[in-house]
Amino acid sequence: MRAFDRRTLGDQERTALSSLAQLSRRAADDMELEGALARLVPPFPLKVQIQTHTRCNAACDMCPYPEVAGADGFAHSHMAESTYRELLKQLSVHPVERVSLFLMNEPLLDKRLPDWIALARASLPTTTLGLFSNGSPLTVPLARRLAEAGLDELSVSVHGFDDSTYDAVMKGLTFARVSTRLRPVLQSYERGELGKLHLQLVTGDLPELQRSLERAEPLFARHALLKAFSNERTAADVVAGLPSSRTSAAARPLCQRPFVKLYVLASGDCVLCNVDWRQTVVLGRISGAPDGQIENIWRSERYHELRLAHLRQRFANGHICQRCDYPALVEAD
């Protein structure tokens, strides 16, 4: 497992998934699987990822965003504040470990974000609040605002530490511009000016990206972590760009996402995961009504059948989980 992925793995998640994976590997019978789900799946998601808006300013090789956002019928949107407050209200009465305010977007393009992080901090005082950004909108004043609002972790995707590597992967952005923005932010962080905020650069573990990291200037290298490089374009049924980190054709490991994490779009819809760009599996919609309660969505029959399909490793033909390489990447050492 890569350094970045280890950071986000909690003890309860590790214990539950280890037991479920053992049952899946030995093809336990349905009664045993049903009992294991009732016993091991937490009664409420441990992690929640929230899309506050739908825009991005990049066209990265591994990401389906350009094709999905450019498709007929797609319309950009922002999450309504009433939906966000309803989410926080529901989350506040449960021991949620981590809330991430990004999903299929560039979160820092949302000007409301510092204020919304402050709202989350007030509602969820012990929950880890995180962001993943491409770093292009980041400035020292914005980093300070995020830190003061209560953000715990800011991860910046930097797939390449030189012009040729970075620009080839993170299309629409340039290493020259992004690195110019990141240097003063990293320097401010090293001087202790961002409070308790943990800042890290995250790069994919493909050989060409690792070689680029080896050549990186020390300021960048000191804060860089490797992350499993998943090719979401393949899972979303888009022609692939760069290959993923997966090289083995071994049996598919168990994916942890349906068992521990909820994904909420700007509309309030809860989708399968962050790879389900086309919203092929919608599990419910957040609202104040009984069927819009996270607890009821999480325990719904549809979620239950999805988890059983993962344990049995049997999906309907064409299901997005058949094409996804993420489980193998995260489990790999």
Side-chain angles (χ1 to χ4, degrees):
M1 183 177 290
R2 281 60 168 184
F4 172 82
D5 302 291
R6 281 196 298 270
R7 277 188 58 85
T8 64
L9 185 65
D11 291 339
Q12 184 178 354
E13 177 182 354
R14 182 183 296 105
T15 300
L17 290 171
S18 175
S19 298
L20 289 168
Q22 290 177 27
L23 291 173
S24 179
R25 282 193 292 269
R26 67 178 176 82
D29 61 37
D30 287 352
M31 183 175 295
E32 192 171 5
L33 292 180
E34 293 273 4
L37 287 177
R39 185 176 73 256
L40 295 171
V41 175
F44 198 84
L46 301 177
K47 304 174 181 178
V48 179
Q49 197 164 338
I50 301 170
Q51 180 189 61
T52 69
H53 75 133
T54 58
R55 293 189 180 276
C56 186
N57 58 345
C60 301
D61 257 1
M62 64 288 185
C63 181
Y65 174 82
E67 287 82 5
V68 174
D72 291 341
F74 181 87
H76 284 293
S77 62
H78 285 70
M79 178 174 280
E81 186 171 335
S82 58
T83 300
Y84 184 66
R85 288 183 179 274
E86 177 65 31
L87 256 171
L88 294 181
K89 177 183 175 183
Q90 294 186 31
L91 296 176
S92 67
V93 294
H94 294 275
V96 181
E97 294 179 359
R98 178 178 291 268
V99 169
S100 302
L101 289 166
F102 70 96
L103 178 58
M104 305 175 188
N105 66 355
E106 170 43 55
L108 296 183
L109 296 179
D110 190 342
K111 303 302 183 184
R112 307 170 300 176
L113 204 56
D115 292 335
W116 280 30
I117 289 169
L119 288 173
R121 181 79 293 153
S123 296
L124 308 166
T126 62
T127 298
T128 297
L129 302 180
L131 277 184
F132 230 108
S133 168
N134 63 39
S136 63
L138 190 61
T139 61
V140 172
L142 178 54
R144 287 175 177 162
R145 285 189 66 198
L146 295 171
E148 291 165 0
L151 186 66
D152 293 298
E153 295 182 1
L154 176 57
S155 301
V156 181
S157 294
V158 184
H159 296 303
F161 291 84
D162 56 80
D163 292 342
S164 60
T165 307
Y166 181 98
D167 295 4
V169 179
M170 303 190 72
K171 294 182 173 67
L173 307 176
T174 67
F175 184 70
R177 183 178 187 277
V178 172
S179 61
T180 298
R181 290 220 162 192
L182 285 178
R183 284 189 191 93
V185 176
L186 289 169
Q187 290 163 352
S188 179
Y189 176 63
E190 290 194 340
R191 290 193 297 267
E193 296 170 355
L194 300 184
K196 296 180 180 179
L197 176 66
H198 177 78
L199 178 62
Q200 58 195 1
L201 309 181
V202 179
T203 191
D205 59 356
L206 293 180
E208 55 265 49
L209 301 183
Q210 293 189 54
R211 288 194 294 270
S212 180
L213 175 57
E214 291 168 1
R215 301 189 297 267
E217 62 185 86
L219 177 63
F220 290 164
R222 283 196 295 272
H223 302 285
L225 290 177
L226 291 179
K227 183 183 187 298
F229 197 94
S230 178
N231 193 338
E232 297 182 17
R233 290 165 60 90
T234 301
D237 203 18
V238 173
V239 175
L242 285 177
S244 75
S245 308
R246 186 177 186 183
T247 57
S248 170
R252 177 184 299 274
L254 185 67
C255 180
Q256 96 274 27
R257 288 168 166 171
F259 302 94
V260 298
K261 193 169 184 179
L262 183 75
Y263 297 81
V264 187
L265 298 180
S267 62
D269 285 343
C270 301
V271 290
L272 170 65
C273 73
N274 64 299
V275 177
D276 193 5
W277 287 80
R278 300 185 187 279
Q279 303 174 36
T280 63
V281 181
V282 178
L283 297 152
R285 173 172 283 194
I286 303 299
S287 73
D291 63 355
Q293 299 295 302
I294 294 173
E295 188 171 11
N296 293 333
I297 294 170
W298 186 248
R299 296 177 175 179
S300 67
E301 184 63 25
R302 188 157 194 204
Y303 241 128
H304 182 72
E305 289 300 320
L306 175 65
R307 293 174 185 130
L308 281 176
H310 274 264
L311 290 175
R312 294 166 177 154
Q313 293 295 294
R314 294 201 299 269
F315 301 102
N317 190 39
H319 196 280
I320 188 172
C321 293
Q322 289 180 321
R323 302 188 296 270
C324 184
D325 58 7
Y326 172 79
L329 305 186
V330 171
E331 184 171 277
D333 290 325

